[in-house]
Amino acid sequence: PQSQSVGLLSIPRDLWVDIPGLGYHKINQTFQQGEATNYPGGGAALAIETVEQLLDVPIHFYVLVDFEAFIRLIDEIGGIKVNVPAEIVIDPLGDNNIKTLQPGLQTLPGDLALAYARSRDTIGSDFDRAERQQQVIMGIRERLISYQSLPVLIAKAPILYQELADRISTNLNIQQIFNLAWDIQQIPEERIRRFIIGPEQVVFTTSYEGMSILMPIPDAILILRDEVFSAYVLEETAEPEVSQMSTADLVAAEAATISIRNGTLAVGLAARTDYYLQTKGIAAAEITNAGQLHDQTSIIDYSGKPNTTQYLADLFGIVPGMVYNRYEPESAYDIIIVLGEDWATNNNMP
């Protein structure tokens, strides 16, 4: 409220995070795990703590709205206007009611707005869905402001609260909700900054169990965080502060322990590779042979060292499909490089 600005950040469901007390899981499991394990404060408290840990930002409040409340509230304001960018198939709650939305500006009732926000059936999957969810949020805001719906909604609040109390959970009290509602309608749209943790902030990979996951790139996420939440706290004429650490500094800061394993018949390849890495400022903790022959060189990151992993992948010319994140903190080494025949026959070593 002091800066008259809003920062909106969407987090993809497949983001691989360290859930306090439970280890690494997809972030969309956090609430369920908190409820199932009777975490103090329940799923909301565990979700808050997980996101605080991810972003290093304090989170004071939460609102949890279930599907039925979402539909009812949007219907209560007469639906929302959404500019659909491309044809999309949506599946509202219920059976045999799939619909296709055509491109263009249209008004969606609650059930279609929910289906639109939940759909993942586009090329960008979760990233596209995050954009649609933000569209819906902005559509709600526009409806409230453009049609003077907010005073009517506030007048109905006691009745709506009684009807929907078991479908909405929050640690905001009613006065705080009213204050925020009035504050938000005073903030111009150009001061609402919308961001998504997207492809630039994650690595597409698989978990040890073979699940498709998004591994966070910590520095990229923190830079995005600062852009989302600090833009109007600083003087608007000031340049935002961005990390000036070089790649070498980032790699050195991770201090990864590395094992180099020769998966070829080339004698001494691992030792030569170790010497080559030393010229780049990286010393291996182990040099040994792999248990079998490998055609392609691969990297396995066991401890979440994204800067070192990416640097090595670039150095060795490793394709993304041969870079693995296993997330085993008890591993003897943070990163294992398995040298393949491709490296033995085509490398940049002197």
Side-chain angles (χ1 to χ4, degrees), residues 70-71 88-93 97 99 101 108-120 129 132 136:
F70 181 93
I71 292 171
I88 183 172
V89 177
I90 62 174
D91 187 7
L93 297 179
N97 58 357
K99 297 184 182 299
L101 299 181
L108 301 181
D111 61 337
L112 298 190
L114 176 63
Y116 180 72
R118 294 182 66 206
S119 175
R120 302 177 73 195
R129 181 166 70 167
R132 286 192 290 274
V136 168

mmCIF file with all atom_site columns, all heavy atoms in Angstrom, residues 70-71 88-93 97 99 101 108-120 129 132 136:
data_model
loop_
_atom_site.group_PDB
_atom_site.id
_atom_site.type_symbol
_atom_site.label_atom_id
_atom_site.label_alt_id
_atom_site.label_comp_id
_atom_site.label_asym_id
_atom_site.label_entity_id
_atom_site.label_seq_id
_atom_site.pdbx_PDB_ins_code
_atom_site.Cartn_x
_atom_site.Cartn_y
_atom_site.Cartn_z
_atom_site.occupancy
_atom_site.B_iso_or_equiv
_atom_site.pdbx_formal_charge
_atom_site.auth_seq_id
_atom_site.auth_comp_id
_atom_site.auth_asym_id
_atom_site.auth_atom_id
_atom_site.pdbx_PDB_model_num
ATOM 1   N N   . PHE A 1 70  ? -14.789 -20.236 -5.797  1.00 0.00 ? 70  PHE A N   1
ATOM 2   C CA  . PHE A 1 70  ? -14.252 -19.508 -6.940  1.00 0.00 ? 70  PHE A CA  1
ATOM 3   C C   . PHE A 1 70  ? -15.359 -19.253 -7.971  1.00 0.00 ? 70  PHE A C   1
ATOM 4   O O   . PHE A 1 70  ? -15.557 -18.129 -8.444  1.00 0.00 ? 70  PHE A O   1
ATOM 5   C CB  . PHE A 1 70  ? -13.114 -20.333 -7.549  1.00 0.00 ? 70  PHE A CB  1
ATOM 6   C CG  . PHE A 1 70  ? -12.435 -19.716 -8.739  1.00 0.00 ? 70  PHE A CG  1
ATOM 7   C CD1 . PHE A 1 70  ? -11.299 -18.945 -8.585  1.00 0.00 ? 70  PHE A CD1 1
ATOM 8   C CD2 . PHE A 1 70  ? -12.916 -19.933 -10.023 1.00 0.00 ? 70  PHE A CD2 1
ATOM 9   C CE1 . PHE A 1 70  ? -10.655 -18.383 -9.687  1.00 0.00 ? 70  PHE A CE1 1
ATOM 10  C CE2 . PHE A 1 70  ? -12.281 -19.388 -11.128 1.00 0.00 ? 70  PHE A CE2 1
ATOM 11  C CZ  . PHE A 1 70  ? -11.151 -18.608 -10.957 1.00 0.00 ? 70  PHE A CZ  1
ATOM 12  N N   . ILE A 1 71  ? -16.097 -20.307 -8.300  1.00 0.00 ? 71  ILE A N   1
ATOM 13  C CA  . ILE A 1 71  ? -17.184 -20.186 -9.282  1.00 0.00 ? 71  ILE A CA  1
ATOM 14  C C   . ILE A 1 71  ? -18.248 -19.218 -8.782  1.00 0.00 ? 71  ILE A C   1
ATOM 15  O O   . ILE A 1 71  ? -18.709 -18.331 -9.509  1.00 0.00 ? 71  ILE A O   1
ATOM 16  C CB  . ILE A 1 71  ? -17.798 -21.573 -9.555  1.00 0.00 ? 71  ILE A CB  1
ATOM 17  C CG1 . ILE A 1 71  ? -16.790 -22.461 -10.292 1.00 0.00 ? 71  ILE A CG1 1
ATOM 18  C CG2 . ILE A 1 71  ? -19.090 -21.448 -10.361 1.00 0.00 ? 71  ILE A CG2 1
ATOM 19  C CD1 . ILE A 1 71  ? -17.224 -23.915 -10.426 1.00 0.00 ? 71  ILE A CD1 1
ATOM 20  N N   . ILE A 1 88  ? -8.674  -22.781 -27.462 1.00 0.00 ? 88  ILE A N   1
ATOM 21  C CA  . ILE A 1 88  ? -8.282  -23.649 -26.364 1.00 0.00 ? 88  ILE A CA  1
ATOM 22  C C   . ILE A 1 88  ? -9.462  -24.526 -25.947 1.00 0.00 ? 88  ILE A C   1
ATOM 23  O O   . ILE A 1 88  ? -10.612 -24.063 -25.904 1.00 0.00 ? 88  ILE A O   1
ATOM 24  C CB  . ILE A 1 88  ? -7.767  -22.824 -25.152 1.00 0.00 ? 88  ILE A CB  1
ATOM 25  C CG1 . ILE A 1 88  ? -7.291  -23.748 -24.027 1.00 0.00 ? 88  ILE A CG1 1
ATOM 26  C CG2 . ILE A 1 88  ? -8.806  -21.847 -24.659 1.00 0.00 ? 88  ILE A CG2 1
ATOM 27  C CD1 . ILE A 1 88  ? -6.607  -23.021 -22.882 1.00 0.00 ? 88  ILE A CD1 1
ATOM 28  N N   . VAL A 1 89  ? -9.197  -25.781 -25.678 1.00 0.00 ? 89  VAL A N   1
ATOM 29  C CA  . VAL A 1 89  ? -10.217 -26.715 -25.209 1.00 0.00 ? 89  VAL A CA  1
ATOM 30  C C   . VAL A 1 89  ? -10.180 -26.727 -23.683 1.00 0.00 ? 89  VAL A C   1
ATOM 31  O O   . VAL A 1 89  ? -9.110  -26.887 -23.077 1.00 0.00 ? 89  VAL A O   1
ATOM 32  C CB  . VAL A 1 89  ? -9.963  -28.135 -25.749 1.00 0.00 ? 89  VAL A CB  1
ATOM 33  C CG1 . VAL A 1 89  ? -10.991 -29.113 -25.185 1.00 0.00 ? 89  VAL A CG1 1
ATOM 34  C CG2 . VAL A 1 89  ? -10.010 -28.124 -27.273 1.00 0.00 ? 89  VAL A CG2 1
ATOM 35  N N   . ILE A 1 90  ? -11.324 -26.529 -23.052 1.00 0.00 ? 90  ILE A N   1
ATOM 36  C CA  . ILE A 1 90  ? -11.403 -26.515 -21.594 1.00 0.00 ? 90  ILE A CA  1
ATOM 37  C C   . ILE A 1 90  ? -12.409 -27.554 -21.120 1.00 0.00 ? 90  ILE A C   1
ATOM 38  O O   . ILE A 1 90  ? -13.297 -27.963 -21.862 1.00 0.00 ? 90  ILE A O   1
ATOM 39  C CB  . ILE A 1 90  ? -11.778 -25.118 -21.045 1.00 0.00 ? 90  ILE A CB  1
ATOM 40  C CG1 . ILE A 1 90  ? -13.169 -24.688 -21.549 1.00 0.00 ? 90  ILE A CG1 1
ATOM 41  C CG2 . ILE A 1 90  ? -10.725 -24.090 -21.429 1.00 0.00 ? 90  ILE A CG2 1
ATOM 42  C CD1 . ILE A 1 90  ? -13.662 -23.385 -20.930 1.00 0.00 ? 90  ILE A CD1 1
ATOM 43  N N   . ASP A 1 91  ? -12.254 -27.977 -19.894 1.00 0.00 ? 91  ASP A N   1
ATOM 44  C CA  . ASP A 1 91  ? -13.084 -29.053 -19.339 1.00 0.00 ? 91  ASP A CA  1
ATOM 45  C C   . ASP A 1 91  ? -13.659 -28.610 -17.998 1.00 0.00 ? 91  ASP A C   1
ATOM 46  O O   . ASP A 1 91  ? -13.060 -28.843 -16.954 1.00 0.00 ? 91  ASP A O   1
ATOM 47  C CB  . ASP A 1 91  ? -12.237 -30.315 -19.172 1.00 0.00 ? 91  ASP A CB  1
ATOM 48  C CG  . ASP A 1 91  ? -13.081 -31.530 -18.763 1.00 0.00 ? 91  ASP A CG  1
ATOM 49  O OD1 . ASP A 1 91  ? -14.324 -31.399 -18.738 1.00 0.00 ? 91  ASP A OD1 1
ATOM 50  O OD2 . ASP A 1 91  ? -12.485 -32.579 -18.455 1.00 0.00 ? 91  ASP A OD2 1
ATOM 51  N N   . PRO A 1 92  ? -14.830 -27.951 -17.986 1.00 0.00 ? 92  PRO A N   1
ATOM 52  C CA  . PRO A 1 92  ? -15.443 -27.538 -16.720 1.00 0.00 ? 92  PRO A CA  1
ATOM 53  C C   . PRO A 1 92  ? -15.753 -28.736 -15.828 1.00 0.00 ? 92  PRO A C   1
ATOM 54  O O   . PRO A 1 92  ? -15.807 -29.887 -16.301 1.00 0.00 ? 92  PRO A O   1
ATOM 55  C CB  . PRO A 1 92  ? -16.728 -26.831 -17.174 1.00 0.00 ? 92  PRO A CB  1
ATOM 56  C CG  . PRO A 1 92  ? -16.487 -26.454 -18.595 1.00 0.00 ? 92  PRO A CG  1
ATOM 57  C CD  . PRO A 1 92  ? -15.611 -27.539 -19.151 1.00 0.00 ? 92  PRO A CD  1
ATOM 58  N N   . LEU A 1 93  ? -15.948 -28.474 -14.546 1.00 0.00 ? 93  LEU A N   1
ATOM 59  C CA  . LEU A 1 93  ? -16.298 -29.534 -13.614 1.00 0.00 ? 93  LEU A CA  1
ATOM 60  C C   . LEU A 1 93  ? -17.561 -30.239 -14.081 1.00 0.00 ? 93  LEU A C   1
ATOM 61  O O   . LEU A 1 93  ? -18.491 -29.609 -14.575 1.00 0.00 ? 93  LEU A O   1
ATOM 62  C CB  . LEU A 1 93  ? -16.505 -28.957 -12.209 1.00 0.00 ? 93  LEU A CB  1
ATOM 63  C CG  . LEU A 1 93  ? -15.286 -28.290 -11.542 1.00 0.00 ? 93  LEU A CG  1
ATOM 64  C CD1 . LEU A 1 93  ? -15.664 -27.750 -10.173 1.00 0.00 ? 93  LEU A CD1 1
ATOM 65  C CD2 . LEU A 1 93  ? -14.124 -29.259 -11.435 1.00 0.00 ? 93  LEU A CD2 1
ATOM 66  N N   . ASN A 1 97  ? -18.829 -32.304 -20.729 1.00 0.00 ? 97  ASN A N   1
ATOM 67  C CA  . ASN A 1 97  ? -19.154 -30.904 -21.006 1.00 0.00 ? 97  ASN A CA  1
ATOM 68  C C   . ASN A 1 97  ? -17.941 -30.115 -21.503 1.00 0.00 ? 97  ASN A C   1
ATOM 69  O O   . ASN A 1 97  ? -17.806 -28.924 -21.238 1.00 0.00 ? 97  ASN A O   1
ATOM 70  C CB  . ASN A 1 97  ? -19.751 -30.228 -19.771 1.00 0.00 ? 97  ASN A CB  1
ATOM 71  C CG  . ASN A 1 97  ? -18.810 -30.301 -18.575 1.00 0.00 ? 97  ASN A CG  1
ATOM 72  O OD1 . ASN A 1 97  ? -17.748 -30.901 -18.649 1.00 0.00 ? 97  ASN A OD1 1
ATOM 73  N ND2 . ASN A 1 97  ? -19.202 -29.669 -17.474 1.00 0.00 ? 97  ASN A ND2 1
ATOM 74  N N   . LYS A 1 99  ? -15.617 -27.882 -23.663 1.00 0.00 ? 99  LYS A N   1
ATOM 75  C CA  . LYS A 1 99  ? -15.944 -26.755 -24.530 1.00 0.00 ? 99  LYS A CA  1
ATOM 76  C C   . LYS A 1 99  ? -14.683 -26.233 -25.199 1.00 0.00 ? 99  LYS A C   1
ATOM 77  O O   . LYS A 1 99  ? -13.575 -26.407 -24.687 1.00 0.00 ? 99  LYS A O   1
ATOM 78  C CB  . LYS A 1 99  ? -16.592 -25.626 -23.719 1.00 0.00 ? 99  LYS A CB  1
ATOM 79  C CG  . LYS A 1 99  ? -17.923 -26.014 -23.082 1.00 0.00 ? 99  LYS A CG  1
ATOM 80  C CD  . LYS A 1 99  ? -18.552 -24.836 -22.377 1.00 0.00 ? 99  LYS A CD  1
ATOM 81  C CE  . LYS A 1 99  ? -19.859 -25.222 -21.691 1.00 0.00 ? 99  LYS A CE  1
ATOM 82  N NZ  . LYS A 1 99  ? -20.864 -25.700 -22.653 1.00 0.00 ? 99  LYS A NZ  1
ATOM 83  N N   . LEU A 1 101 ? -13.024 -22.729 -26.540 1.00 0.00 ? 101 LEU A N   1
ATOM 84  C CA  . LEU A 1 101 ? -13.095 -21.272 -26.565 1.00 0.00 ? 101 LEU A CA  1
ATOM 85  C C   . LEU A 1 101 ? -12.326 -20.770 -27.777 1.00 0.00 ? 101 LEU A C   1
ATOM 86  O O   . LEU A 1 101 ? -11.203 -21.197 -28.039 1.00 0.00 ? 101 LEU A O   1
ATOM 87  C CB  . LEU A 1 101 ? -12.493 -20.682 -25.291 1.00 0.00 ? 101 LEU A CB  1
ATOM 88  C CG  . LEU A 1 101 ? -13.153 -21.050 -23.961 1.00 0.00 ? 101 LEU A CG  1
ATOM 89  C CD1 . LEU A 1 101 ? -12.436 -20.349 -22.808 1.00 0.00 ? 101 LEU A CD1 1
ATOM 90  C CD2 . LEU A 1 101 ? -14.630 -20.687 -23.961 1.00 0.00 ? 101 LEU A CD2 1
ATOM 91  N N   . LEU A 1 108 ? -16.638 -14.752 -19.389 1.00 0.00 ? 108 LEU A N   1
ATOM 92  C CA  . LEU A 1 108 ? -16.720 -16.127 -18.907 1.00 0.00 ? 108 LEU A CA  1
ATOM 93  C C   . LEU A 1 108 ? -17.437 -16.180 -17.563 1.00 0.00 ? 108 LEU A C   1
ATOM 94  O O   . LEU A 1 108 ? -17.080 -15.443 -16.637 1.00 0.00 ? 108 LEU A O   1
ATOM 95  C CB  . LEU A 1 108 ? -15.316 -16.717 -18.740 1.00 0.00 ? 108 LEU A CB  1
ATOM 96  C CG  . LEU A 1 108 ? -14.415 -16.764 -19.971 1.00 0.00 ? 108 LEU A CG  1
ATOM 97  C CD1 . LEU A 1 108 ? -13.072 -17.404 -19.605 1.00 0.00 ? 108 LEU A CD1 1
ATOM 98  C CD2 . LEU A 1 108 ? -15.076 -17.527 -21.099 1.00 0.00 ? 108 LEU A CD2 1
ATOM 99  N N   . PRO A 1 109 ? -18.448 -17.058 -17.435 1.00 0.00 ? 109 PRO A N   1
ATOM 100 C CA  . PRO A 1 109 ? -19.038 -17.285 -16.116 1.00 0.00 ? 109 PRO A CA  1
ATOM 101 C C   . PRO A 1 109 ? -18.053 -18.063 -15.244 1.00 0.00 ? 109 PRO A C   1
ATOM 102 O O   . PRO A 1 109 ? -16.997 -18.496 -15.705 1.00 0.00 ? 109 PRO A O   1
ATOM 103 C CB  . PRO A 1 109 ? -20.289 -18.108 -16.437 1.00 0.00 ? 109 PRO A CB  1
ATOM 104 C CG  . PRO A 1 109 ? -19.942 -18.827 -17.704 1.00 0.00 ? 109 PRO A CG  1
ATOM 105 C CD  . PRO A 1 109 ? -19.058 -17.888 -18.481 1.00 0.00 ? 109 PRO A CD  1
ATOM 106 N N   . GLY A 1 110 ? -18.421 -18.249 -13.979 1.00 0.00 ? 110 GLY A N   1
ATOM 107 C CA  . GLY A 1 110 ? -17.502 -18.861 -13.034 1.00 0.00 ? 110 GLY A CA  1
ATOM 108 C C   . GLY A 1 110 ? -16.974 -20.220 -13.431 1.00 0.00 ? 110 GLY A C   1
ATOM 109 O O   . GLY A 1 110 ? -15.773 -20.496 -13.312 1.00 0.00 ? 110 GLY A O   1
ATOM 110 N N   . ASP A 1 111 ? -17.851 -21.098 -13.945 1.00 0.00 ? 111 ASP A N   1
ATOM 111 C CA  . ASP A 1 111 ? -17.392 -22.459 -14.258 1.00 0.00 ? 111 ASP A CA  1
ATOM 112 C C   . ASP A 1 111 ? -16.403 -22.468 -15.415 1.00 0.00 ? 111 ASP A C   1
ATOM 113 O O   . ASP A 1 111 ? -15.417 -23.223 -15.402 1.00 0.00 ? 111 ASP A O   1
ATOM 114 C CB  . ASP A 1 111 ? -18.578 -23.375 -14.543 1.00 0.00 ? 111 ASP A CB  1
ATOM 115 C CG  . ASP A 1 111 ? -19.418 -22.934 -15.730 1.00 0.00 ? 111 ASP A CG  1
ATOM 116 O OD1 . ASP A 1 111 ? -19.381 -21.727 -16.087 1.00 0.00 ? 111 ASP A OD1 1
ATOM 117 O OD2 . ASP A 1 111 ? -20.113 -23.790 -16.314 1.00 0.00 ? 111 ASP A OD2 1
ATOM 118 N N   . LEU A 1 112 ? -16.629 -21.615 -16.428 1.00 0.00 ? 112 LEU A N   1
ATOM 119 C CA  . LEU A 1 112 ? -15.714 -21.568 -17.559 1.00 0.00 ? 112 LEU A CA  1
ATOM 120 C C   . LEU A 1 112 ? -14.420 -20.837 -17.193 1.00 0.00 ? 112 LEU A C   1
ATOM 121 O O   . LEU A 1 112 ? -13.342 -21.186 -17.685 1.00 0.00 ? 112 LEU A O   1
ATOM 122 C CB  . LEU A 1 112 ? -16.373 -20.892 -18.764 1.00 0.00 ? 112 LEU A CB  1
ATOM 123 C CG  . LEU A 1 112 ? -17.612 -21.591 -19.332 1.00 0.00 ? 112 LEU A CG  1
ATOM 124 C CD1 . LEU A 1 112 ? -18.016 -20.944 -20.661 1.00 0.00 ? 112 LEU A CD1 1
ATOM 125 C CD2 . LEU A 1 112 ? -17.388 -23.088 -19.527 1.00 0.00 ? 112 LEU A CD2 1
ATOM 126 N N   . ALA A 1 113 ? -14.525 -19.827 -16.333 1.00 0.00 ? 113 ALA A N   1
ATOM 127 C CA  . ALA A 1 113 ? -13.319 -19.131 -15.880 1.00 0.00 ? 113 ALA A CA  1
ATOM 128 C C   . ALA A 1 113 ? -12.407 -20.089 -15.122 1.00 0.00 ? 113 ALA A C   1
ATOM 129 O O   . ALA A 1 113 ? -11.185 -20.071 -15.281 1.00 0.00 ? 113 ALA A O   1
ATOM 130 C CB  . ALA A 1 113 ? -13.694 -17.941 -15.001 1.00 0.00 ? 113 ALA A CB  1
ATOM 131 N N   . LEU A 1 114 ? -13.011 -20.952 -14.298 1.00 0.00 ? 114 LEU A N   1
ATOM 132 C CA  . LEU A 1 114 ? -12.218 -21.933 -13.553 1.00 0.00 ? 114 LEU A CA  1
ATOM 133 C C   . LEU A 1 114 ? -11.563 -22.928 -14.508 1.00 0.00 ? 114 LEU A C   1
ATOM 134 O O   . LEU A 1 114 ? -10.370 -23.236 -14.387 1.00 0.00 ? 114 LEU A O   1
ATOM 135 C CB  . LEU A 1 114 ? -13.112 -22.676 -12.558 1.00 0.00 ? 114 LEU A CB  1
ATOM 136 C CG  . LEU A 1 114 ? -12.437 -23.807 -11.772 1.00 0.00 ? 114 LEU A CG  1
ATOM 137 C CD1 . LEU A 1 114 ? -11.314 -23.268 -10.895 1.00 0.00 ? 114 LEU A CD1 1
ATOM 138 C CD2 . LEU A 1 114 ? -13.455 -24.573 -10.929 1.00 0.00 ? 114 LEU A CD2 1
ATOM 139 N N   . ALA A 1 115 ? -12.319 -23.433 -15.463 1.00 0.00 ? 115 ALA A N   1
ATOM 140 C CA  . ALA A 1 115 ? -11.769 -24.392 -16.422 1.00 0.00 ? 115 ALA A CA  1
ATOM 141 C C   . ALA A 1 115 ? -10.657 -23.756 -17.253 1.00 0.00 ? 115 ALA A C   1
ATOM 142 O O   . ALA A 1 115 ? -9.640  -24.397 -17.553 1.00 0.00 ? 115 ALA A O   1
ATOM 143 C CB  . ALA A 1 115 ? -12.879 -24.920 -17.328 1.00 0.00 ? 115 ALA A CB  1
ATOM 144 N N   . TYR A 1 116 ? -10.837 -22.495 -17.632 1.00 0.00 ? 116 TYR A N   1
ATOM 145 C CA  . TYR A 1 116 ? -9.818  -21.771 -18.399 1.00 0.00 ? 116 TYR A CA  1
ATOM 146 C C   . TYR A 1 116 ? -8.533  -21.625 -17.585 1.00 0.00 ? 116 TYR A C   1
ATOM 147 O O   . TYR A 1 116 ? -7.425  -21.823 -18.081 1.00 0.00 ? 116 TYR A O   1
ATOM 148 C CB  . TYR A 1 116 ? -10.369 -20.404 -18.780 1.00 0.00 ? 116 TYR A CB  1
ATOM 149 C CG  . TYR A 1 116 ? -9.431  -19.531 -19.584 1.00 0.00 ? 116 TYR A CG  1
ATOM 150 C CD1 . TYR A 1 116 ? -9.142  -19.822 -20.905 1.00 0.00 ? 116 TYR A CD1 1
ATOM 151 C CD2 . TYR A 1 116 ? -8.855  -18.401 -19.009 1.00 0.00 ? 116 TYR A CD2 1
ATOM 152 C CE1 . TYR A 1 116 ? -8.289  -19.009 -21.656 1.00 0.00 ? 116 TYR A CE1 1
ATOM 153 C CE2 . TYR A 1 116 ? -7.996  -17.588 -19.742 1.00 0.00 ? 116 TYR A CE2 1
ATOM 154 C CZ  . TYR A 1 116 ? -7.723  -17.896 -21.060 1.00 0.00 ? 116 TYR A CZ  1
ATOM 155 O OH  . TYR A 1 116 ? -6.875  -17.095 -21.786 1.00 0.00 ? 116 TYR A OH  1
ATOM 156 N N   . ALA A 1 117 ? -8.689  -21.310 -16.294 1.00 0.00 ? 117 ALA A N   1
ATOM 157 C CA  . ALA A 1 117 ? -7.525  -21.120 -15.424 1.00 0.00 ? 117 ALA A CA  1
ATOM 158 C C   . ALA A 1 117 ? -6.805  -22.433 -15.140 1.00 0.00 ? 117 ALA A C   1
ATOM 159 O O   . ALA A 1 117 ? -5.594  -22.447 -14.896 1.00 0.00 ? 117 ALA A O   1
ATOM 160 C CB  . ALA A 1 117 ? -7.958  -20.466 -14.113 1.00 0.00 ? 117 ALA A CB  1
ATOM 161 N N   . ARG A 1 118 ? -7.516  -23.546 -15.175 1.00 0.00 ? 118 ARG A N   1
ATOM 162 C CA  . ARG A 1 118 ? -6.926  -24.837 -14.809 1.00 0.00 ? 118 ARG A CA  1
ATOM 163 C C   . ARG A 1 118 ? -6.327  -25.591 -15.991 1.00 0.00 ? 118 ARG A C   1
ATOM 164 O O   . ARG A 1 118 ? -5.503  -26.482 -15.800 1.00 0.00 ? 118 ARG A O   1
ATOM 165 C CB  . ARG A 1 118 ? -7.984  -25.742 -14.165 1.00 0.00 ? 118 ARG A CB  1
ATOM 166 C CG  . ARG A 1 118 ? -8.516  -25.254 -12.829 1.00 0.00 ? 118 ARG A CG  1
ATOM 167 C CD  . ARG A 1 118 ? -9.507  -26.261 -12.267 1.00 0.00 ? 118 ARG A CD  1
ATOM 168 N NE  . ARG A 1 118 ? -8.843  -27.523 -11.939 1.00 0.00 ? 118 ARG A NE  1
ATOM 169 C CZ  . ARG A 1 118 ? -9.453  -28.705 -11.913 1.00 0.00 ? 118 ARG A CZ  1
ATOM 170 N NH1 . ARG A 1 118 ? -10.728 -28.799 -12.227 1.00 0.00 ? 118 ARG A NH1 1
ATOM 171 N NH2 . ARG A 1 118 ? -8.788  -29.793 -11.587 1.00 0.00 ? 118 ARG A NH2 1
ATOM 172 N N   . SER A 1 119 ? -6.707  -25.243 -17.207 1.00 0.00 ? 119 SER A N   1
ATOM 173 C CA  . SER A 1 119 ? -6.282  -26.023 -18.367 1.00 0.00 ? 119 SER A CA  1
ATOM 174 C C   . SER A 1 119 ? -4.767  -25.992 -18.552 1.00 0.00 ? 119 SER A C   1
ATOM 175 O O   . SER A 1 119 ? -4.128  -24.951 -18.404 1.00 0.00 ? 119 SER A O   1
ATOM 176 C CB  . SER A 1 119 ? -6.952  -25.484 -19.638 1.00 0.00 ? 119 SER A CB  1
ATOM 177 O OG  . SER A 1 119 ? -6.465  -26.166 -20.778 1.00 0.00 ? 119 SER A OG  1
ATOM 178 N N   . ARG A 1 120 ? -4.196  -27.170 -18.884 1.00 0.00 ? 120 ARG A N   1
ATOM 179 C CA  . ARG A 1 120 ? -2.758  -27.261 -19.172 1.00 0.00 ? 120 ARG A CA  1
ATOM 180 C C   . ARG A 1 120 ? -2.530  -27.676 -20.632 1.00 0.00 ? 120 ARG A C   1
ATOM 181 O O   . ARG A 1 120 ? -1.395  -27.931 -21.026 1.00 0.00 ? 120 ARG A O   1
ATOM 182 C CB  . ARG A 1 120 ? -2.093  -28.294 -18.256 1.00 0.00 ? 120 ARG A CB  1
ATOM 183 C CG  . ARG A 1 120 ? -2.242  -28.016 -16.782 1.00 0.00 ? 120 ARG A CG  1
ATOM 184 C CD  . ARG A 1 120 ? -1.614  -29.128 -15.952 1.00 0.00 ? 120 ARG A CD  1
ATOM 185 N NE  . ARG A 1 120 ? -0.156  -29.103 -15.991 1.00 0.00 ? 120 ARG A NE  1
ATOM 186 C CZ  . ARG A 1 120 ? 0.612   -30.115 -15.600 1.00 0.00 ? 120 ARG A CZ  1
ATOM 187 N NH1 . ARG A 1 120 ? 0.071   -31.235 -15.178 1.00 0.00 ? 120 ARG A NH1 1
ATOM 188 N NH2 . ARG A 1 120 ? 1.933   -30.011 -15.644 1.00 0.00 ? 120 ARG A NH2 1
ATOM 189 N N   . ARG A 1 129 ? -0.486  -21.795 -18.369 1.00 0.00 ? 129 ARG A N   1
ATOM 190 C CA  . ARG A 1 129 ? -1.571  -21.813 -17.386 1.00 0.00 ? 129 ARG A CA  1
ATOM 191 C C   . ARG A 1 129 ? -1.400  -20.690 -16.366 1.00 0.00 ? 129 ARG A C   1
ATOM 192 O O   . ARG A 1 129 ? -2.370  -20.052 -15.964 1.00 0.00 ? 129 ARG A O   1
ATOM 193 C CB  . ARG A 1 129 ? -1.635  -23.168 -16.680 1.00 0.00 ? 129 ARG A CB  1
ATOM 194 C CG  . ARG A 1 129 ? -2.766  -23.228 -15.659 1.00 0.00 ? 129 ARG A CG  1
ATOM 195 C CD  . ARG A 1 129 ? -3.070  -24.609 -15.181 1.00 0.00 ? 129 ARG A CD  1
ATOM 196 N NE  . ARG A 1 129 ? -2.028  -25.155 -14.339 1.00 0.00 ? 129 ARG A NE  1
ATOM 197 C CZ  . ARG A 1 129 ? -2.183  -26.252 -13.597 1.00 0.00 ? 129 ARG A CZ  1
ATOM 198 N NH1 . ARG A 1 129 ? -3.336  -26.897 -13.619 1.00 0.00 ? 129 ARG A NH1 1
ATOM 199 N NH2 . ARG A 1 129 ? -1.202  -26.713 -12.856 1.00 0.00 ? 129 ARG A NH2 1
ATOM 200 N N   . ARG A 1 132 ? -2.705  -17.633 -17.846 1.00 0.00 ? 132 ARG A N   1
ATOM 201 C CA  . ARG A 1 132 ? -4.170  -17.610 -17.846 1.00 0.00 ? 132 ARG A CA  1
ATOM 202 C C   . ARG A 1 132 ? -4.717  -17.312 -16.448 1.00 0.00 ? 132 ARG A C   1
ATOM 203 O O   . ARG A 1 132 ? -5.710  -16.591 -16.297 1.00 0.00 ? 132 ARG A O   1
ATOM 204 C CB  . ARG A 1 132 ? -4.714  -18.950 -18.358 1.00 0.00 ? 132 ARG A CB  1
ATOM 205 C CG  . ARG A 1 132 ? -4.566  -19.138 -19.856 1.00 0.00 ? 132 ARG A CG  1
ATOM 206 C CD  . ARG A 1 132 ? -5.357  -20.331 -20.361 1.00 0.00 ? 132 ARG A CD  1
ATOM 207 N NE  . ARG A 1 132 ? -4.774  -21.592 -19.923 1.00 0.00 ? 132 ARG A NE  1
ATOM 208 C CZ  . ARG A 1 132 ? -3.807  -22.224 -20.569 1.00 0.00 ? 132 ARG A CZ  1
ATOM 209 N NH1 . ARG A 1 132 ? -3.296  -21.710 -21.670 1.00 0.00 ? 132 ARG A NH1 1
ATOM 210 N NH2 . ARG A 1 132 ? -3.330  -23.372 -20.119 1.00 0.00 ? 132 ARG A NH2 1
ATOM 211 N N   . VAL A 1 136 ? -7.158  -14.206 -15.340 1.00 0.00 ? 136 VAL A N   1
ATOM 212 C CA  . VAL A 1 136 ? -8.410  -14.314 -14.592 1.00 0.00 ? 136 VAL A CA  1
ATOM 213 C C   . VAL A 1 136 ? -8.399  -13.361 -13.399 1.00 0.00 ? 136 VAL A C   1
ATOM 214 O O   . VAL A 1 136 ? -9.393  -12.677 -13.114 1.00 0.00 ? 136 VAL A O   1
ATOM 215 C CB  . VAL A 1 136 ? -8.637  -15.776 -14.139 1.00 0.00 ? 136 VAL A CB  1
ATOM 216 C CG1 . VAL A 1 136 ? -9.754  -15.864 -13.114 1.00 0.00 ? 136 VAL A CG1 1
ATOM 217 C CG2 . VAL A 1 136 ? -8.957  -16.658 -15.346 1.00 0.00 ? 136 VAL A CG2 1
#
